Amino acid sequence: SQQGEEDPQALSIQEGENATMNCSYKTSINNLQWYRQNSGRGLVHLILIRSNEREKHSGRLRVTLDTSKKSSSLLITASRAADTASYFCATEQGGSEKLVFGKGTKLTVNP
Amino acid sequence: SQTIHQWPATLVQPVGSPLSLECTVEGTSNPNLYWYRQAAGRGLQLLFYSVGIGQISSEVPQNLSASRPQDRQFILSSKKLLLSDSGFYLCAWRGISGTSGGALGLEQFFGPGTRLTVL
């Protein structure tokens, strides 16, 4: 079953604007990860946030995690056309060797 | 550095035909290996994962099977394909925590995928 659910399903913005994507999940987790997928390609890991962390930064990416609400957000600042892709959250539960992925947010950044 | 290979890149098969997709990883030892399927416009569905040679965990009952004959080789098979088997198949690996090259070793690294169309 899908643990993570991203919102919105699709997002279209202009270059230079910020893009925010949200992810909700259902059970307790060890960590939450965000991945990016260009059309027709494999996924690329972006950032991981542990359950005891609240915020993490990597370049233009900012991830927050609220375990009380079982939700996470991914913010991409100063977006570029090259950021156009689908973004997925994935959760890892305690003691599990696997990730459970959401359905993803399709981001389009218009030049 | 570690690399992951999948082949073929695309495949068109008739209903009822067999399937064999191969995934190999280089540059690491004893990785966890994963097979996912992605339907058009959908998220990833975990099909199988393996934590060692000959150890296969099945996530979704179906007419697919997986095998791990060698440490860095993962094979997805079917004896008779169904129309519903069409999709984008992705292989991924994860190292033992701290050994995959990432900061925490918990991230997964994906292959380029195989686009399977069953007609």
Side-chain angles (χ1 to χ4, degrees):
Chain A
S1 62
Q2 297 287 349
Q3 160 89 306
E5 291 288 339
E6 289 89 344
D7 167 57
Q9 291 186 349
L11 179 62
S12 182
I13 60 174
Q14 294 300 121
E15 211 165 21
E17 295 180 338
N18 296 342
T20 299
M21 289 158 272
N22 303 297
C23 169
S24 60
Y25 57 92
K26 297 175 182 175
T27 63
S28 61
I29 59 172
N30 258 5
N31 65 77
L32 185 145
Q33 305 179 29
W34 285 91
Y35 288 79
R36 166 195 168 123
Q37 183 182 34
N38 284 43
S39 180
R41 309 289 292 274
L43 278 72
V44 175
H45 180 265
L46 294 176
I47 195 166
L48 179 153
I49 186 165
R50 287 189 179 276
S51 59
N52 61 355
E53 297 176 311
R54 292 297 168 258
E55 188 171 312
K56 207 159 183 182
H57 296 256
S58 177
R60 294 185 294 113
L61 305 181
R62 172 179 169 247
V63 169
T64 61
L65 180 64
D66 187 334
T67 53
S68 67
K69 295 181 179 178
K70 292 187 170 59
S71 67
S72 173
S73 67
L74 170 68
L75 168 67
I76 304 174
T77 60
S79 64
R80 306 166 182 167
D83 294 328
T84 295
S86 291
Y87 293 82
F88 295 88
C89 70
T91 54
E92 179 178 316
Q93 297 173 294
S96 171
E97 300 283 346
K98 56 190 181 182
L99 293 175
V100 179
F101 283 82
K103 295 179 181 178
T105 292
K106 187 171 184 178
L107 173 66
T108 302
V109 181
N110 302 299
Chain B
S1 63
Q2 303 92 356
T3 56
I4 179 169
H5 304 279
Q6 276 188 254
W7 64 89
T10 59
L11 193 59
V12 180
Q13 292 284 99
V15 170
S17 64
L19 173 74
S20 180
L21 302 181
E22 189 163 343
C23 171
T24 59
V25 181
E26 296 176 356
T28 188
S29 297
N30 196 28
N32 284 4
L33 295 171
Y34 305 85
W35 276 113
Y36 293 90
R37 178 169 61 201
Q38 185 176 31
R42 303 290 300 275
L44 275 68
Q45 179 186 37
L46 179 63
L47 302 175
F48 302 94
Y49 71 97
S50 171
V51 299
I53 295 175
Q55 300 179 60
I56 308 294
S57 295
S58 175
E59 291 296 299
V60 183
Q62 57 209 319
N63 70 321
L64 298 172
S65 63
S67 62
R68 185 171 177 173
Q70 300 180 43
D71 181 43
R72 290 166 288 179
Q73 184 185 30
F74 205 22
I75 297 172
L76 183 68
S77 303
S78 173
K79 293 181 179 178
K80 286 186 178 181
L81 283 169
L82 306 173
L83 285 174
S84 58
D85 291 324
S86 293
F88 191 47
Y89 288 81
L90 288 157
C91 179
W93 73 274
R94 195 198 87 176
I96 299 170
S97 179
T99 64
S100 68
L104 295 171
L106 298 174
E107 64 270 46
Q108 291 187 12
F109 299 90
F110 284 79
T114 294
R115 174 78 56 193
L116 172 66
T117 303
V118 182
L119 301 175

